[in-house]
Amino acid sequence: MAKKQYAVIGMGRFGSSVAKALSGMGFDVLAIDTDEQRTQEISNIVTHAVSADSTDEEALRALGVRNFDVVVVAIGEDIQASILTTLILKDLGVPSIIVKAKSELHGKVLSKIGADKVIYPERDMGLRVAHHLASPNILDYIELSPDYSILDMKVSGSMLGKNLQELDIRAKYGCNVMAIRKDAEMNISPRAEDRLVDGDILVIVGHKDNLTKLERAYQ
Ligand code: ATP
């Protein structure tokens, strides 16, 4: 199977981090930014780096952006440019368009005009940090949908020495323990009799309201 081709528009902190990570995974990446200095900075990391204005349809056409499997739009401040770019990419027939949104309203517009996925990096990171601050045992919090999330919870206090059956998280809180992480190892099919020890991390999926109850119970 041919390697996927990615284009990333906007080399701010978020866009350049996506471009670098994709390159590190061995993918071909085209990086685009109006700012020549920004394209220069990323040029020795990605496959191609080009200075161009993504609101210029002809420029995107000339770069062959339509041939990319996935295009990430990482322009935050200039909402108009982000929307216009998304529209042009849609018109060009790019199969998968992922766009970073600055606000809910911005995100709504992006979804309406055909963005395949809208991401909110600042909001999501804020949520993760807040959950960790509120309950230090919560190491990570990832929103799956408006109602469901996944959290990583450090085993501590009354959980220590118990097994999953004794904790009975499913019956008590309506949440599911999907995995138990021990250092770099992940047990993805935990058994009811698996005993929890210090250092274990539970990966739990559930409705937000139920996860909140669980977080409070094991604070
Ligand atoms: P960060 O990820 O750093 O938080 P941000 O959300 O603040 O970024 P901006 O700084 O507004 O986003 O934009 C990110 C990058 O996108 C900048 O380097 C900017 O030069 C570039 N950019 C803005 N408009 C365009 C455009 N029309 N075409 C190409 N690049 C653009």
Side-chain angles (χ1 to χ4, degrees), residues 10 12-14 33-34 38 52-54 74-77 100 102:
R13 285 160 299 184
F14 179 74
D33 201 295
T34 35
R38 294 231 157 144
D53 183 347
S54 60
I75 304 170
E77 291 303 328
K100 165 182 148 154
K102 261 271 186 285

Side-chain angles (χ1 to χ4, degrees), residues 38-105:
R38 294 231 157 144
T39 46
Q40 192 67 45
E41 278 164 11
I42 198 97
S43 62
N44 52 4
I45 297 169
V46 298
T47 326
H48 296 288
V50 182
S51 299
D53 183 347
S54 60
T55 61
D56 176 352
E57 185 168 350
E58 278 318 306
L60 289 192
R61 238 180 239 285
L63 288 170
V65 169
R66 65 190 322 166
N67 300 320
F68 284 76
D69 301 293
V70 182
V71 179
V72 180
V73 182
I75 304 170
E77 291 303 328
D78 189 346
I79 291 184
Q80 195 176 324
S82 144
I83 292 170
L84 212 55
T85 302
T86 306
L87 264 178
I88 295 170
L89 295 172
K90 195 75 195 165
D91 262 8
L92 290 175
V94 172
S96 180
I97 307 167
I98 319 252
V99 193
K100 165 182 148 154
K102 261 271 186 285
S103 65
E104 293 285 338
L105 194 59

Side-chain angles (χ1 to χ4, degrees), residues 136-174:
N137 288 335
I138 305 304
L139 302 181
D140 206 353
Y141 186 96
I142 300 165
E143 215 175 42
L144 294 177
S145 73
D147 290 330
Y148 290 89
S149 296
I150 290 181
L151 56 79
D152 284 3
M153 184 184 245
K154 200 160 76 179
V155 167
S156 69
S158 61
M159 280 185 170
L160 288 169
K162 293 222 172 87
N163 63 30
L164 291 180
Q165 191 172 6
E166 287 159 352
L167 283 182
D168 213 9
I169 285 176
R170 191 179 300 165
K172 283 189 190 151
Y173 305 98

